[in-house]
């Protein structure tokens, strides 16, 4: 069965069961400042899981283009991919466990034709600390479903993964695991969930490929074992809890189902081969690479490279379609890495490398466009095709130049007879020469490279560049015009006012300021009431009327932290930081009087020198110039305010 067939069957099956088919959201999230890429089907649906009515009803189904950057390093084994399609169905307060588990079981066994004997399932063991009971309902539903297929399914309690390796299968078919395995939220286990985040217990289905257990993972095999015998093919999350301010769980207004299943993995199960790269959509690309390299896919020296090229070019194709372009920051950097890594591994395979439209990577992308354009019609446009293929070729050329220059440098260094960590690091940062390449070339010449030293340099570099980009991001300014600067100062006053009205747990999570308006994203679990919004406006306008000075100070990071200066959560800052404090009325650069300031923030500026500058109206009225235009949810536990100075 091809993935196009499986996708269609899934959508049709749920449509026949009362679901509306909704389109895939773009893999670059539109309204969620918390993440670079869409990594699951539920991400765009968070507001509806929180209780907002969905315009298309309370039974939804789709196939979501998803990307997980954290899996880049894992690609190369038989089951990890960076891009994947997540089949998803949702009940927004409509059906629950009793319907969801039979839906999925029926889909797998009757629509796809999987043998139920090869299916193993899990459920949540319960969590006393958080007052979440053991999911005995799911276990009972599974028992009945297997019984209907003539299978006597034994229920066994495992607990942790370590317990699994110790206890093994025990003749079971339905397994209870703890939260690390059977609880789903975007933040992971209950303890890691921030206030306002949603989550719940889940029930997973695994396909048994009946391969031999590899004891290198642990003594006994069990469904969550990493040896590759079992592959997780679907997860039904019972989305019913929300983290409250006091760190306990409350029930969501509605009991939801959030199901996600990896399309590629279901296809692997359907063909009874645990290698997801053997499914139709990769087979053509890999076939092409085999043809032009003369290497065998089954050759263990090359298998990983075949998989990396195929995975990365598919992901790059979808990213380019979504408008991402190669660069050195954020999404663009991830894309650049995908294309350059693919180029490196294509080279390792020794493919004959054509030019322009004949380049091997461009050919791979063309195959993926062809394969997916029926399901994702955005790939049908000739323009999109041109852009994708042009960008890949451009990036390949740029990488080739980089390598050429880097090669010269490398030869100079190698001629000295040794390669220091610092030299390998400079090759990488200044010349963009991949470390893997340095290692390979050094090995050819019998030279050692200090890998540990290189990693240390990298860590140092990362901390520094993160500090830089966080500072920039925190500013979030479109420009430094007078209007934007005024709104930037208003932004500081607003953040403090929000904390005064909603509580000290309010933290800034994103910001964007143009000449027309300011936008702040902040952590808070509920919609603001009209009274709260009025009170926030009143405070901001009061501070404007008080004509408070804005003072910039440079001081050691620790000192700024001690003052309680606001900073981006988790950000790393340099040793000396710039801080802006607002008020009191007689504060000055010489004597900033931090203890009496209204607000203090880590910030690079620019700002006005006095809040009086925020009111530029010719005729002043009793009502101040600051106005909240909109307050809305952008993600679980994250609200967004747009505001203006009139
Ligand atoms: N949100 C769950 C997951 O990503 C199910 O859709 O696994």
């Amino acid at each position: 069965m091809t993935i196009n067939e499986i996708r269609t069957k899934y959508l049709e099956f749920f449509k026949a069961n009362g679901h509306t088919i909704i389109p895939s959201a773009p893999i670059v999230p539109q309204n969620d400042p918390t993440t670079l890429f869409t990594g699951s089907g539920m991400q765009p649906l968070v507001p509806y899981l929180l209780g907002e009515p969905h315009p298309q009803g309370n039974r939804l189904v789709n196939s979501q283009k998803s990307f997980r950057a954290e899996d880049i390093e894992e690609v190369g084994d038989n089951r990890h991919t960076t891009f994947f399609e997540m089949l998803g169905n949702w009940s927004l307060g409509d059906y629950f466990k009793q319907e969801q588990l039979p839906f999925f079981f029926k889909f797998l066994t009757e629509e796809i034709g999987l043998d139920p004997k090869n299916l193993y399932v899990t459920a949540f063991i319960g969590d006393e600390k958080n007052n979440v009971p053991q999911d005995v309902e799911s276990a009972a539903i599974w028992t009945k479903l297997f019984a209907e297929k003539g299978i006597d399914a034994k229920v066994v309690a495992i607990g942790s993964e370590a317990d699994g390796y110790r206890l093994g299968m025990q003749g079971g078919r339905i397994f209870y695991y703890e939260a690390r395995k059977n609880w789903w939220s975007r933040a992971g286990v209950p303890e890691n969930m921030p206030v306002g985040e949603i989550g719940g217990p889940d029930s997973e289905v695994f396909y048994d490929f009946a391969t031999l257990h590899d004891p290198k993972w642990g003594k006994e095999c069990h469904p969550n074992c990493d040896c590759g015998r079992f592959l997780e093919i679907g997860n039904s999350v019972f989305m019913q809890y929300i983290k409250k301010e006091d760190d306990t769980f409350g029930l969501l207004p509605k009991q939801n189902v959030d199901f996600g299943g990896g399309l590629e993995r279901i296809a692997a199960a359907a063909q009874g081969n645990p290698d997801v790269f053997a499914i139709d959509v990769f087979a053509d690309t890999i076939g092409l690479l085999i043809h032009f390299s003369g290497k065998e896919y089954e050759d263990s020296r090359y298998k990983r490279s075949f998989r990396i090229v195929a995975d990365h070019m598919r992901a790059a194709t979808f990213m380019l379609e979504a408008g991402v372009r190669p660069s050195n920051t954020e999404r663009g950097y991830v894309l650049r890495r995908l294309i350059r890594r693919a180029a490196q591994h294509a080279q390792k395979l020794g493919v004959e490398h054509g030019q322009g439209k004949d380049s091997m990577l461009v050919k791979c992308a063309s195959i993926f466009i062809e394969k997916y354009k029926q399901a994702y019609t955005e790939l049908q446009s000739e323009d999109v095709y041109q852009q994708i293929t042009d960008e890949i070729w451009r990036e390949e050329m740029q990488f080739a130049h980089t390598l050429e220059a880097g090669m010269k440098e490398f030869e100079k260094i190698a001629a000295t007879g040794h390669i220091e960590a610092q030299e390998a690091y400079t090759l990488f940062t200044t010349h963009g020469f991949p470390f893997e390449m340095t290692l390979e070339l050094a090995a050819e010449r019998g030279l050692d490279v200090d890998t540990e030293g290189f990693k240390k340099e990298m860590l140092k570099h990362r901390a520094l560049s993160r500090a830089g980009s966080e500072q920039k991001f925190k500013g979030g300014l479109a420009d430094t015009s007078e209007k934007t600067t005024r709104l930037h100062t208003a932004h500081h006053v607003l953040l403090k006012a929000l904390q005064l009205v909603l509580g000290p747990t309010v933290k800034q999570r994103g910001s964007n300021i143009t000449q027309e308006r300011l936008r702040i994203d902040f952590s808070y679990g509920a919609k603001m009431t009209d009274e709260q919004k009025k009170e926030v406006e009143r405070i901001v306008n009061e501070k404007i009327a008080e004509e408070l000075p804005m003072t910039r100070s440079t001081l050691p990071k620790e000192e700024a932290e001690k003052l309680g200066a606001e900073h981006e959560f988790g950000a790393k800052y340099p040793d000396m930081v710039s801080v802006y404090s607002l008020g009191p009325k007689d504060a000055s650069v010489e004597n900033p009087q931090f203890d009496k300031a209204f607000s203090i923030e880590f910030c690079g500026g620019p700002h006005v020198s006095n809040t009086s500058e925020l009111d530029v109206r010719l005729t002043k009225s009793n009502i101040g110039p600051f106005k909240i235009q909109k307050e809305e949810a952008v993600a679980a536990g994250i609200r967004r305010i747009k505001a203006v100075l009139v």
Side-chain angles (χ1 to χ4, degrees), residues 216-354:
K216 111 173 175 215
W217 299 100
K219 192 159 162 280
E220 302 285 341
C221 197
H222 62 116
N224 271 305
C225 169
D226 273 325
C227 76
R229 172 179 161 187
F230 292 102
L231 186 68
E232 186 226 316
I233 55 174
N235 185 13
S236 301
V237 183
F238 306 117
M239 206 45 106
Q240 37 184 159
Y241 295 101
I242 181 161
K243 190 64 146 313
K244 294 192 302 186
E245 291 284 340
D246 63 3
D247 223 34
T248 64
F249 280 114
L251 282 180
L252 281 169
K254 290 177 181 164
Q255 310 272 284
N256 310 294
V257 173
D258 159 32
F259 169 81
L263 173 57
E264 293 82 351
R265 291 177 168 206
I266 294 173
Q271 66 181 7
N273 180 346
D275 185 358
V276 299
F277 291 93
I279 65 177
D280 66 293
V281 73
F282 289 123
D284 287 355
T285 321
I286 289 176
L288 182 88
L289 292 168
I290 292 171
H291 178 78
F292 281 94
S293 68
K295 307 287 188 309
E296 289 302 322
Y297 177 68
E298 286 309 327
D299 185 332
S300 60
R301 286 172 299 173
Y302 298 113
K303 203 172 202 168
R304 198 168 155 262
S305 293
F306 278 113
R307 288 169 171 169
I308 289 175
V309 178
D311 170 80
H312 287 13
M313 289 322 294
R314 182 173 69 149
T317 301
F318 278 100
M319 244 184 234
L320 286 162
E321 181 275 314
V324 183
R325 294 291 175 265
S327 76
N328 284 332
T329 54
E330 302 199 333
R331 295 184 183 103
Y333 178 68
V334 177
L335 173 59
R336 170 158 283 172
R337 248 186 104 196
L338 289 171
I339 298 175
R340 293 191 172 197
R341 243 176 137 230
Q344 247 173 284
H345 284 273
Q347 200 173 17
K348 198 163 168 191
L349 290 172
V351 289
E352 297 161 26
H353 213 101

Side-chain angles (χ1 to χ4, degrees), residues 351-468:
V351 289
E352 297 161 26
H353 213 101
Q355 304 283 314
K357 293 271 180 279
D358 283 331
S359 115
M360 195 53 52
L361 298 191
V362 170
K363 280 189 186 146
C364 292
S366 308
I367 293 181
F368 287 121
I369 294 174
E370 208 44 53
K371 283 272 168 196
Y372 283 101
K373 70 182 189 196
Q374 235 34 54
Y376 299 110
T377 50
E378 52 275 29
L379 288 170
Q380 285 174 8
S381 122
E382 183 58 29
D383 258 9
V384 168
Y385 173 82
Q386 279 304 337
Q387 285 170 19
I388 294 176
T389 50
D390 286 354
E391 287 291 337
I392 291 173
W393 175 238
R394 201 195 325 267
E395 182 61 17
E396 273 189 86
M397 295 286 285
Q398 213 169 319
F399 187 45
H401 287 140
T402 300
L403 287 184
E404 213 177 296
M407 238 358 237
K408 287 202 189 109
E409 279 308 304
F410 176 85
E411 293 298 356
K412 274 193 226 157
I413 298 168
T416 65
H418 48 82
I419 299 166
E420 305 294 336
Q422 179 62 44
E423 289 171 327
Y425 175 74
T426 310
L427 271 174
F428 175 66
T429 47
T430 315
H431 302 283
F433 202 66
F435 183 60
E436 280 163 342
M437 204 81 127
T438 302
L439 281 181
E440 252 167 54
L441 293 172
E444 279 171 19
R445 291 162 176 71
L447 300 173
D448 281 337
V449 185
D450 176 4
T451 304
E452 284 310 306
F454 176 81
K455 281 191 194 150
K456 267 191 210 137
E457 292 292 335
M458 281 301 287
L459 286 178
K460 254 198 273 173
H461 168 76
R462 256 186 224 148
L464 280 177
S465 64
R466 199 173 309 135

Side-chain angles (χ1 to χ4, degrees), residues 12 98 115 156 179 280 322 346 427 439 468 529-530 560 572 581 640:
E12 290 304 322
Q98 284 295 348
D115 186 341
V156 303
D280 66 293
L427 271 174
L439 281 181
T529 63
D530 286 345
K572 294 231 171 21
S581 55
R640 170 172 293 176

